Amino acid sequence: MRKDPIRLAELRRQLILDSSAEQAYDDITKLLSESLDVPIALIIFMDVDRNWFKSRVGFPLPAVPVEISFCESFFKSDKDVIVVPDTLESEQFRQHPLVIGEPQVRFYASARLVVNGQTLGTLCAFDTRPRQLLPEQIDHLKALTQAVVELLQNRTKVSEQSFLAT
């Protein structure tokens, strides 16, 4: 699914990959980090061979190769939100390089970013300790995910209007 040409065409249409930092996206990752009380929050767009981070809190790299992607789980699931309270107890994640190595992720929560029916990325939260989310924290994750989707949709509208005006 990562290499699905329809999904990739929609991702390209958004003109988001490798774009400059934008305060609205940075505000969302900051709010996610604070509302879930986690040290790492990311807005991720899933390209063919990498996960590119539009915004990040607490993670030094601007992208990671697909081989160490937590987001791959969305291509194997129909869930819109995935919460893994303890990655060491998860068959899928216990041997993950970011679990057994730095930053030693022990908790993972993520929501799918869907535009025009296509999964373009995720809004993710990571912690170095296992934990549970309260129902209202899951609601915050969902609301912030919707805010990212709306930012993308507005970005596309502005881009298309500019194109039509020329």
Side-chain angles (χ1 to χ4, degrees), residues 124-144:
C124 296
F126 298 95
D127 203 340
T128 55
R129 60 186 172 91
R131 55 200 312 250
Q132 297 288 333
L133 287 184
L134 299 170
E136 57 266 22
Q137 290 175 307
I138 293 173
D139 290 343
H140 291 168
L141 175 60
K142 290 177 180 178
L144 291 171

Side-chain angles (χ1 to χ4, degrees), residues 68-85:
I68 61 171
S69 170
F70 273 81
C71 299
E72 288 304 299
S73 56
F74 281 100
F75 293 135
K76 300 171 186 166
S77 171
D78 59 354
K79 295 180 181 176
D80 288 328
V81 174
I82 294 174
V83 178
V84 180

Side-chain angles (χ1 to χ4, degrees), residues 94-150:
R94 75 170 52 119
Q95 293 300 316
H96 191 281
L98 297 177
V99 171
I100 59 176
E102 289 301 318
Q104 297 185 326
V105 171
R106 290 290 300 278
F107 166 82
Y108 168 63
S110 188
R112 186 187 302 264
L113 299 173
V114 178
V115 176
N116 294 327
Q118 300 300 315
T119 299
L120 303 186
T122 62
L123 178 61
C124 296
F126 298 95
D127 203 340
T128 55
R129 60 186 172 91
R131 55 200 312 250
Q132 297 288 333
L133 287 184
L134 299 170
E136 57 266 22
Q137 290 175 307
I138 293 173
D139 290 343
H140 291 168
L141 175 60
K142 290 177 180 178
L144 291 171
T145 299
Q146 186 56 41
V148 174
V149 169
E150 288 178 19

Side-chain angles (χ1 to χ4, degrees), residues 2 17-18 40 42-56 58-72 75 96-99 102-103 105 108 122 124 126:
R2 182 178 278 269
L17 289 175
D18 299 311
I40 301 170
L42 305 164
I43 296 174
I44 299 172
F45 291 98
M46 300 179 292
D47 202 0
V48 173
D49 57 356
R50 66 180 173 149
N51 283 356
W52 179 74
F53 308 143
K54 174 61 177 170
S55 179
R56 62 191 191 275
F59 197 79
L61 303 174
V64 295
V66 69
E67 293 80 20
I68 61 171
S69 170
F70 273 81
C71 299
E72 288 304 299
F75 293 135
H96 191 281
L98 297 177
V99 171
E102 289 301 318
V105 171
Y108 168 63
T122 62
C124 296
F126 298 95

Side-chain angles (χ1 to χ4, degrees), residues 3 7 14-16 37 52 58 61 68 98-99 140 142 148 156 158-159 161:
K3 295 181 180 182
R7 188 190 77 78
Q14 300 303 315
L15 301 174
I16 193 77
D37 189 27
W52 179 74
L61 303 174
I68 61 171
L98 297 177
V99 171
H140 291 168
K142 290 177 180 178
V148 174
T156 305
V158 168
S159 174
Q161 288 171 352

